[in-house]
Amino acid sequence: MKDKNIKPINEIDMIKSLKKLNKEELTKKGFDNQEIFKIDSMDIETEFKKVLLKRKKLPTEQLKRMGYSEIQITKLRNIKGNETLDEIRSLSADMYCYNYINTHRYDSDTNRTKVEAEFGWEWNVVPAFQFTDSIGVGWNGDFQIDPDYYQYWLNYHIKTYYDKYSSKTVTRRSSMSEKKMNTCQDSFDLTGYDEGLQNYFCKSGYGVMALTEVGKASNVKFSFKYGHNHVGVAPSVTYPYGVGFTFKGAEQIYSPPSVANSQKNF
């Protein structure tokens, strides 16, 4: 993971922080009544322990492939099921994500502002719940996806899948489909099922968006968010669109600590 605007966010801490909010506060964050019910009724400790008690039986090499260190594997093997959430928190997953503006320039020949904005995410270990997740990006102004870019790695989401039983990795790319009003998204199954990858898991991804606007656009903002859920319904980018977009159907939303911003006087 590149050292750009990275902030680790723990999956257990995220759920605990959401459960502290009341209905009004959750509604302001974009959750509907059904999602609020799921958050309120979620027994984090019980559900997390169930996952760990299953994982403790897995072969050591498979656990290493899932991201666990030697120290974590030893702790995992010794789990009895009567530990407190704080005692097993170190076995939960951290999400690392970033957004960054690589290029911001004005092309006088075409009278267009050109922008390349990068995003990325990575789980340090496979999260406790693996269903269909989504990522989204949003930007400001009158920028649109630049049609002049056709490179393999631009305007795509490149995901890396790890084989559970060997050192093999596989990358898959999917186009960042424009949702509405300065916002794109991509949905994917963490188990690799949607890519026909049996015995794999998706652990990281990255991409670069090429954007353009007519004239001189001196102020550029670009945001990235990752929507994670526990029930299998794919999160979807929703209103308000653009830089401040949110997700419907995501109990956890991960994002870098700040929106990427570039200001230039052309």
Side-chain angles (χ1 to χ4, degrees):
M1 175 62 66
K2 297 181 179 181
D3 186 19
K4 292 181 180 178
N5 203 14
I6 296 176
K7 176 186 178 183
I9 311 169
N10 184 267
E11 62 174 333
I12 296 300
D13 291 346
M14 174 66 78
I15 300 173
K16 288 172 68 175
S17 65
L18 286 176
K19 289 181 73 69
K20 291 179 181 179
L21 302 179
N22 59 38
K23 183 176 181 179
E24 182 179 355
E25 291 170 323
L26 289 170
T27 300
K28 287 181 179 179
K29 283 184 170 290
F31 296 101
D32 61 25
N33 289 334
Q34 184 178 2
E35 292 162 348
I36 292 173
F37 175 78
K38 287 189 293 185
I39 292 170
D40 288 341
S41 59
M42 190 183 302
D43 186 341
I44 314 170
E45 191 167 324
T46 299
E47 294 301 316
F48 188 55
K49 284 180 183 178
K50 286 181 181 178
V51 173
L52 295 183
L53 288 171
K54 288 181 180 179
R55 289 186 178 181
K56 69 177 289 186
K57 301 175 183 178
L58 296 176
T60 297
E61 287 305 312
Q62 184 174 342
L63 291 173
K64 288 181 179 179
R65 293 289 295 160
M66 295 173 70
Y68 289 106
S69 66
E70 294 282 1
I71 294 175
Q72 288 175 311
I73 292 173
T74 299
K75 186 170 185 176
L76 185 60
R77 299 288 190 216
N78 293 325
I79 283 182
K80 305 297 182 184
N82 58 358
E83 294 84 1
T84 66
L85 196 57
D86 288 337
E87 289 174 328
I88 56 178
R89 179 190 175 281
S90 62
L91 296 174
S92 59
D94 284 336
M95 158 64 75
Y96 296 81
C97 55
Y98 68 88
N99 46 216
Y100 188 80
I101 295 176
N102 289 324
T103 303
H104 178 196
R105 64 184 178 85
Y106 173 67
D107 186 341
S108 58
D109 292 337
T110 60
N111 187 32
R112 282 186 170 274
T113 300
K114 302 277 190 175
V115 171
E116 288 183 13
E118 181 179 349
F119 62 87
W121 61 272
E122 181 176 348
W123 294 104
N124 69 327
V125 301
V126 177
F129 304 95
Q130 299 175 71
F131 294 105
T132 300
D133 285 354
S134 296
I135 63 163
V137 295
W139 57 88
N140 68 322
D142 294 322
F143 282 96
Q144 298 177 334
I145 295 177
D146 196 333
D148 294 335
Y149 282 84
Y150 296 101
Q151 288 98 325
Y152 177 90
W153 54 281
L154 283 174
N155 302 327
Y156 285 94
H157 180 209
I158 313 295
K159 296 158 294 204
T160 301
Y161 294 83
Y162 291 72
D163 191 327
K164 294 179 182 178
Y165 306 110
S166 74
S167 59
K168 186 178 180 181
T169 61
V170 175
T171 58
R172 290 286 188 270
R173 70 170 184 159
S174 51
S175 61
M176 291 294 292
S177 58
E178 195 159 10
K179 181 75 174 180
K180 186 185 290 186
M181 297 173 62
N182 298 12
T183 315
C184 283
Q185 73 170 36
D186 180 40
S187 297
F188 52 97
D189 194 321
L190 286 177
T191 66
Y193 177 81
D194 57 336
E195 296 285 357
L197 296 171
Q198 294 183 346
N199 299 321
Y200 279 78
F201 53 86
C202 188
K203 199 162 171 284
S204 63
Y206 71 93
V208 179
M209 297 296 298
L211 307 173
T212 185
E213 179 179 330
V214 175
K216 298 178 180 180
S218 59
N219 184 28
V220 181
K221 293 182 180 181
F222 180 82
S223 62
F224 168 79
K225 296 178 184 179
Y226 183 111
H228 183 54
N229 76 98
H230 302 87
V231 295
V233 179
S236 177
V237 165
T238 189
Y239 181 86
Y241 299 102
V243 175
F245 74 91
T246 187
F247 284 104
K248 177 178 176 58
E251 290 95 11
Q252 299 177 43
I253 299 175
Y254 298 88
S255 63
S258 61
V259 171
N261 181 238
S262 176
Q263 291 186 330
K264 291 190 176 182
N265 295 318
F266 296 117

